[in-house]
Amino acid sequence: MSSDDSLACVAAGDSRTRRGGSLKFFHGPMDCGKSTLALQMDYNHARQGRSGLVLTTIDRAGPGRLTTRIGLHRDAVEVTAELDVRALVRDRWARGIHVDYLICDEASFYTVEQIEQLADLVDYSDVDVYAFGLATDFRSQLFPASRRLIELADEVVRVQVEVLCWCGRPGLLNARIVDGAVARAGEQVVIGDTAGMSAPDEPDVRYQVLCRRHHRNGDLGPAARSVGQLRLV
Ligand SMILES: [Zn+2]
């Protein structure tokens, strides 16, 4: 709406002017509490009598669950690559279920098309969308969905719960550690934390939050170095 239009509405006393929804993207490295914040956001809105849906994908507990590292959890809609988020919401409406807001966890793993669908819901259906996810992948490059969220969101917020690199600096970037070394190439999405559980011929993959300096130079700190020395012995 142009400012002229807003003035016209005010002048006409049009109290029905739609507020519109808003699209907010909260991002931060792993372990910074994004999923906890997502559940807190859901709780706050539900307490105000609003009705929402919680969506997630590739949660550590498997499909249809949103779990947090500090032990909170709830049921969630699993976002598969084929899911049309607009159809999901329309289907709820058709069944008489209000959807005032969406909590979208792990949004960096959604498709770009699904981010467009979220923006449609905000603009045409006044649904508030709160998306949570990683900004960048293990190479410190934006995920396509996160890029689109940053381009489209009304507000982009870096989650403030601080995660520290082993050196004590703020941990800003996720590193993928494959067999003890920082990976620089590979698939954008690989589920990690296989350490000790992978088959003998498969590499150990895990993730670690590092500061920018140590992400870029690949230094995993004295603990990793002593492990390396033990292996040499
Ligand atoms: Zn560091």
Side-chain angles (χ1 to χ4, degrees):
M1 185 184 288
S2 74
S3 58
D4 283 347
D5 288 337
S6 325
L7 284 174
C9 288
V10 172
D14 186 353
S15 61
R16 293 167 305 165
T17 305
R18 297 207 319 195
R19 180 186 63 87
S22 73
L23 174 59
K24 295 187 184 177
F25 179 40
F26 299 83
H27 69 87
M30 300 173 316
D31 293 342
C32 74
K34 293 186 298 297
S35 297
T36 305
L37 181 59
L39 289 184
Q40 179 74 46
M41 188 80 84
D42 177 51
Y43 174 81
N44 291 352
H45 282 270
R47 219 171 51 156
Q48 291 165 21
R50 306 186 81 211
S51 169
L53 284 176
V54 176
L55 283 60
T56 192
T57 190
I58 348 182
D59 187 88
R60 53 184 80 84
R65 294 289 281 170
L66 191 165
T67 55
T68 69
R69 285 175 209 268
I70 62 169
L72 303 170
H73 56 85
R74 63 157 286 170
D75 292 336
V77 176
E78 180 72 13
V79 177
T80 60
E82 300 75 37
L83 178 74
D84 183 325
V85 190
R86 290 166 306 190
L88 172 81
V89 171
R90 265 190 240 117
D91 174 65
R92 291 299 198 283
W93 286 339
R95 290 194 272 144
I97 302 167
H98 265 288
V99 180
D100 301 314
Y101 65 91
L102 296 179
I103 303 289
C104 301
D105 201 29
E106 305 291 4
S108 24
F109 302 137
Y110 297 6
T111 66
V112 170
E113 182 58 30
Q114 285 163 340
I115 305 304
E116 303 285 347
Q117 293 163 6
L118 293 175
D120 283 347
L121 285 168
V122 171
D123 288 339
Y124 298 107
S125 307
D126 296 352
V127 174
D128 287 320
V129 173
Y130 304 99
F132 300 81
L134 307 167
T136 56
D137 66 14
F138 69 103
R139 301 163 301 174
S140 72
Q141 295 176 10
L142 288 168
F143 284 99
S146 306
R147 178 193 305 276
R148 198 68 186 124
L149 278 165
I150 290 167
E151 289 163 350
L152 293 180
D154 296 290
E155 203 176 321
V156 177
V157 181
R158 190 194 282 267
V159 174
Q160 291 299 318
V161 177
E162 201 153 90
V163 187
L164 300 180
C165 179
W166 59 265
C167 69
R169 290 189 188 86
L172 298 176
L173 299 166
N174 296 310
R176 179 183 296 161
I177 318 294
V178 179
D179 285 340
V182 176
R184 302 298 178 187
E187 294 288 312
Q188 189 165 43
V189 178
V190 172
I191 308 294
D193 297 330
T194 62
M197 293 185 294
S198 52
D201 53 338
E202 300 235 318
D204 274 340
V205 177
R206 64 185 179 85
Y207 289 86
Q208 183 174 339
V209 178
L210 297 172
C211 69
R212 181 176 56 237
R213 174 189 301 198
H214 290 133
H215 189 283
R216 296 182 73 221
N217 75 9
D219 188 346
L220 293 172
R225 282 197 291 273
S226 63
V227 170
Q229 283 159 7
L230 284 174
R231 277 187 187 155
L232 287 177
V233 169

